[in-house]
Amino acid sequence: MDDTSFLRARSVRVGSLLAAAALASTALPAFADEGPDGQIVVTGAGLEKTPGTPAYSTVEIGRDAITTSASGRIEDVLTQVAGFQQFRRSDSRSSNPSAQGVTLRALGGNATSRALVLLDGVPMADPFFGYVPLPALTPDTLGSIRVTRGGGSGPFGAGALSGTIELESAGPDQLGLVNGQLLASQRGETEAALSIAPRLGSGFAVVSGRWDRGKGFFTTPESQRVPATVRARYESWSTQVRAVAPLTDTVELQARALVYRDDRLLRFKGATTSSEGQDASLRLVGRGDWQFDALAYVQVRNFDNIVVSATSFKPTLDQYDTPAQGLGGKFELRPPMGENDVLRLGVDWRRASGTMKENAISAATGAITARRRAGGNNTDLGFYAENDLTLGSLVLTGGLRADRTVIADGYFEVRNTAGTVTSRTDYATQTDWTVTWRGGAVLRVSDMIALRAAAYTGLRQPTLNELYRPFTVFPVTTQANAALRNEKQKGFEAGIDLTPAEGIRLSVTGFDNRIENAIANVTIGTNLRQRRNVDEIRARGIEASAHAEVGIVRFDGSLAWTDAEVRNGPLSNLTGKRPAQTPRLAASATLGLSPAVGWDIAATLRHVGQQYEDDLQIDSLKAATTLDMFAQVPLPRGISLVLRAENLFDTEIVTRNAGGSIDLGNPRTLWAGVRVKI
């Protein structure tokens, strides 16, 4: 397959567009029924956070920090929280989407998310792979982000093994009626985004879209390039409709439809990869005496990928279709218990199903040699209760979850070119009941000092990808494993929060977390790995954060030092080694200036320590320190000039090292463009 196939057109499912129209039409009539007088103000958010939330290590990212990142990408924003990491250091322009798993606290990973990412309460992880579709999450449309590190209870808590990342959408007050930007880089790459957020009666709607494209950069070092080496070209777009309307004076309806597609070309000519999705959700939020949050969502996702040999530079595998579906919902009730007692009772359910479809190809002849399929269904039914008690300056919180997990209908099948089944394995159904819990306390010693402590357990079900899909990243092949068990976490932490003056916040947390039955890519032979449960990954460390906003100056800093190791029995060659892709030290510091209305200048310095590509600590990824810059200068008529610089000093960022075969991250990239806000 040549480069003309890189941006293969695939029509967006008509059903998804109809869903978007249906969601919007459901909400819009309610807008028109309200006049300008006596309006009911809606928020578009979920229920208020509970008093016990500060008992856990929590970082808030405001809209100013979200909209002043140098790359304009959500993963760049989240790296402000030290301890946040993807499987690789590449961003979503130059990495395979299946490597976009996110985690916290250096708990390792294998490209699957160990952190729960929610957009307005909806889990965003891909139903088949477990990665997060980062290009579809547009920072410009977000109002705030809350990152809670450590195991989670509450809704969808079975996915919050290392923590929870809650993305909250912005409304008209933050977006304005029209908000858009258009930028270009020195390589001719472009980024365009637009949102329209009209108030309609007592509610509002937000229609937004984003389009990124570029020829990219060479991820291959110059010394390793061959004639087949190409730049990491990319093109992605997303569009969403969000509508919020009051149904009564205490109940509001929130509806969303999201459609996206992402195309990339990685390393070699013809090595294309694409992902797409169509999501829809409905949410009812009640803020009366009996508060409630009811949510239902559907996700339709797909992925395709062509693997090109690093020796013959011809296709050897065509993963041409990976359709996956996600269904889920939750209902949470908060009965009236009194001012100092907040009780949450809830149930949530998720179902993930999908099928891998791929053709093995002869590099010599280009002919298909085998047709393979694999897939299955995963479900999780959870019941949870959590209670926060405020006793003067002391807040106590505790939560309990019970999860029924089922892994069913798993299979792996091989057919010859004539369509005859040559082998098929059907896997036994796995079922489990798991009880997890968390609890904590916050003591406000004074207006300046708060002490906190927490302990928790957690759960993560293996993904369909880990169970059934093998893959190759030359020269290493990684096998799937249908016998994988659920990961379980145990952890505790203690910290202190300081507010020595208005606008200044300091926080330090010490933690000790363990993942039992941790799923890792384990070396079992030369250039051969398999996903396996190891006995335990233990991570102990310190997290520190600082926020200061004094006059025209603001500062945000974050640091995480983690001592993480694998424990897999005294005879294992993994015991005592650091998990793959896990740095010991990560830090970020942003200094911002707002000298006048509309002006914004920010510089971000980041450091990621040395880490290892593999489980045996053979292939090293050296430490990297980068500097990013952002500037916004107001012009007349609501227009602003925007200048951005990524990796200003052009630091070499090694993102992959497989036996000396190296990939590199984003080099120095300079952007210029305009923003418009009306």
Side-chain angles (χ1 to χ4, degrees):
M1 182 172 294
D2 57 27
D3 285 354
T4 60
S5 66
F6 164 63
L7 302 179
R8 290 181 290 180
R10 180 177 293 169
S11 60
V12 176
R13 291 175 173 82
V14 175
S16 296
L17 296 178
L18 293 176
L23 291 175
S25 64
T26 299
L28 289 176
F31 300 149
D33 292 340
E34 297 287 344
D37 299 326
Q39 282 188 343
I40 301 168
V41 178
V42 298
T43 68
L47 296 176
E48 292 291 328
K49 65 181 182 181
T50 62
T53 301
Y56 307 97
S57 179
T58 304
V59 178
E60 304 272 354
I61 304 176
R63 180 163 171 80
D64 287 344
I66 294 171
T67 57
T68 56
S69 73
S71 70
R73 310 185 82 80
I74 189 63
E75 59 269 32
D76 186 35
V77 174
L78 290 170
T79 53
Q80 297 179 36
V81 180
F84 167 85
Q85 65 179 106
Q86 299 180 79
F87 180 62
R88 300 194 189 278
R89 296 172 177 177
S90 307
D91 70 19
S92 58
R93 292 166 291 192
S94 60
S95 67
N96 194 290
S98 62
Q100 290 172 186
V102 302
T103 190
L104 297 162
R105 284 200 167 155
L107 283 169
N110 59 356
T112 298
S113 295
R114 283 191 168 126
L116 174 65
V117 178
L118 302 172
L119 175 60
D120 296 323
V122 178
M124 291 304 297
D126 183 86
F128 189 93
F129 292 92
Y131 70 80
V132 178
L134 297 173
L137 304 178
T138 306
D140 294 343
T141 63
L142 298 178
S144 65
I145 301 173
R146 182 165 66 239
V147 180
T148 303
R149 293 173 286 203
S153 187
F156 306 117
L161 199 73
S162 67
T164 305
I165 300 171
E166 298 171 86
L167 311 176
E168 296 289 343
S169 293
D173 290 343
Q174 295 169 302
L175 294 172
L177 177 61
V178 178
N179 194 321
Q181 65 179 26
L182 177 63
L183 297 103
S185 78
Q186 88 273 22
R187 291 190 293 269
E189 297 154 342
T190 56
E191 174 188 318
L194 179 67
S195 67
I196 303 173
R199 289 193 177 276
L200 301 169
S202 297
F204 64 85
V206 178
V207 181
S208 62
R210 174 166 168 152
W211 179 37
D212 300 88
R213 65 175 300 184
K215 66 179 182 181
F217 58 93
F218 285 105
T219 61
T220 307
E222 187 171 1
S223 62
Q224 297 184 3
R225 294 175 195 167
V226 296
T229 301
V230 293
R231 293 174 178 267
R233 290 167 51 190
Y234 66 93
E235 180 170 6
S236 64
W237 60 264
S238 66
T239 183
Q240 67 175 344
V241 179
R242 184 168 184 256
V244 179
L247 299 183
T248 70
D249 58 349
T250 61
V251 179
E252 70 181 52
L253 171 69
Q254 303 171 15
R256 175 195 300 279
L258 169 67
V259 182
Y260 70 87
R261 182 173 173 85
D262 178 51
D263 294 275
R264 306 179 201 178
L265 179 62
L266 301 174
R267 197 174 177 88
F268 296 121
K269 182 180 180 180
T272 61
T273 180
S274 302
S275 61
E276 65 178 19
Q278 300 88 40
D279 297 2
S281 64
L282 283 173
R283 189 181 194 186
L284 285 173
V285 179
R287 296 185 172 85
D289 292 336
W290 288 78
Q291 297 185 16
F292 64 87
D293 188 346
L295 171 72
Y297 69 87
V298 58
Q299 299 166 330
V300 179
R301 306 280 181 87
N302 209 334
F303 170 87
D304 61 75
N305 184 55
I306 294 178
V307 178
V308 171
S309 168
T311 54
S312 69
F313 310 110
K314 295 181 179 180
T316 58
L317 186 67
D318 183 5
Q319 298 168 328
Y320 63 92
D321 202 19
T322 315
Q325 299 79 41
L327 296 172
K330 74 163 186 179
F331 180 79
E332 178 176 308
L333 181 67
R334 299 185 185 180
M337 302 292 291
E339 183 179 353
N340 297 321
D341 190 353
V342 178
L343 175 64
R344 305 168 66 194
L345 302 172
V347 58
D348 57 60
W349 176 76
R350 285 185 285 181
R351 182 180 187 273
S353 61
T355 303
M356 175 203 78
K357 303 176 182 179
E358 65 181 27
N359 293 330
I361 301 172
S362 168
T365 66
I368 295 174
T369 58
R371 304 180 187 275
R372 297 191 284 258
R373 288 195 176 195
N377 301 304
N378 284 1
T379 58
D380 184 339
L381 174 64
F383 302 89
Y384 64 92
E386 194 160 57
N387 196 201
D388 293 0
L389 292 174
T390 302
L391 306 171
S393 59
L394 176 66
V395 178
L396 301 175
T397 180
L400 192 70
R401 271 190 69 94
D403 284 273
R404 170 69 167 178
T405 57
V406 179
I407 299 173
D409 302 325
Y411 74 97
F412 187 90
E413 180 182 274
V414 181
R415 295 174 179 261
N416 60 24
T417 55
T420 303
V421 176
T422 58
S423 69
R424 180 181 173 103
T425 304
D426 291 284
Y427 302 108
T429 298
Q430 301 181 50
T431 62
D432 192 19
W433 272 105
T434 304
V435 175
T436 56
W437 54 267
R438 71 174 181 174
V442 180
L443 176 62
R444 304 195 181 280
V445 178
S446 67
D447 291 340
M448 296 175 53
I449 303 173
L451 304 176
R452 51 185 167 78
Y456 34 76
T457 61
L459 170 72
R460 184 181 76 85
Q461 193 177 28
T463 64
L464 299 172
N465 178 53
E466 292 170 315
L467 292 163
Y468 308 121
R469 174 183 171 264
F471 70 95
T472 299
V473 178
F474 182 85
V476 179
T477 295
T478 302
Q479 299 174 344
N481 185 354
L484 292 172
R485 293 169 289 165
N486 291 342
E487 294 182 334
K488 299 180 181 179
Q489 190 216 34
K490 297 178 181 177
F492 62 89
E493 63 188 55
I496 181 171
D497 299 325
L498 304 175
T499 52
E502 184 178 355
I504 299 177
R505 298 191 303 272
L506 306 172
S507 177
V508 178
T509 304
F511 64 90
D512 188 330
N513 288 181
R514 307 181 186 198
I515 299 180
E516 298 175 353
N517 300 327
I519 299 172
N521 295 337
V522 177
T523 299
I524 59 175
T526 302
N527 292 330
L528 182 62
R529 298 175 188 159
Q530 185 183 41
R531 298 186 182 98
R532 290 187 176 181
N533 293 105
V534 299
D535 291 345
E536 178 180 283
I537 291 177
R538 184 177 186 183
R540 295 170 290 184
I542 297 173
E543 298 162 342
S545 63
H547 171 81
E549 196 162 346
V550 181
I552 66 171
V553 180
R554 70 178 184 276
F555 173 82
D556 285 286
S558 183
L559 179 146
W561 178 87
T562 309
D563 179 20
E565 66 175 5
V566 176
R567 297 179 176 181
N568 199 37
L571 301 181
S572 172
N573 57 3
L574 299 182
T575 296
K577 290 184 169 59
R578 204 187 316 169
Q581 306 292 338
T582 300
R584 191 181 301 274
L585 178 67
S588 172
T590 299
L591 180 65
L593 296 174
S594 300
V597 176
W599 284 78
D600 217 330
I601 303 170
T604 299
L605 186 68
R606 292 193 180 92
H607 176 80
V608 178
Q610 181 245 18
Q611 58 199 75
Y612 293 99
E613 172 75 26
D614 62 318
D615 57 324
L616 298 180
Q617 296 190 2
I618 296 173
D619 298 320
S620 174
L621 309 176
K622 64 181 180 180
T625 302
T626 59
L627 177 66
D628 293 346
M629 300 287 290
F630 174 91
Q632 178 174 286
V633 180
L635 302 174
R637 301 182 181 275
I639 301 173
S640 297
L641 171 68
V642 175
L643 303 173
R644 303 188 323 207
E646 302 178 61
N647 192 6
L648 186 61
F649 295 144
D650 203 21
T651 301
E652 183 179 80
I653 305 169
V654 179
T655 63
R656 186 186 70 92
N657 178 9
S661 175
I662 288 175
D663 283 346
L664 301 176
N666 201 38
R668 178 170 49 235
T669 306
L670 306 178
W671 295 85
V674 294
R675 276 183 176 171
V676 179
K677 183 176 180 180
I678 301 174

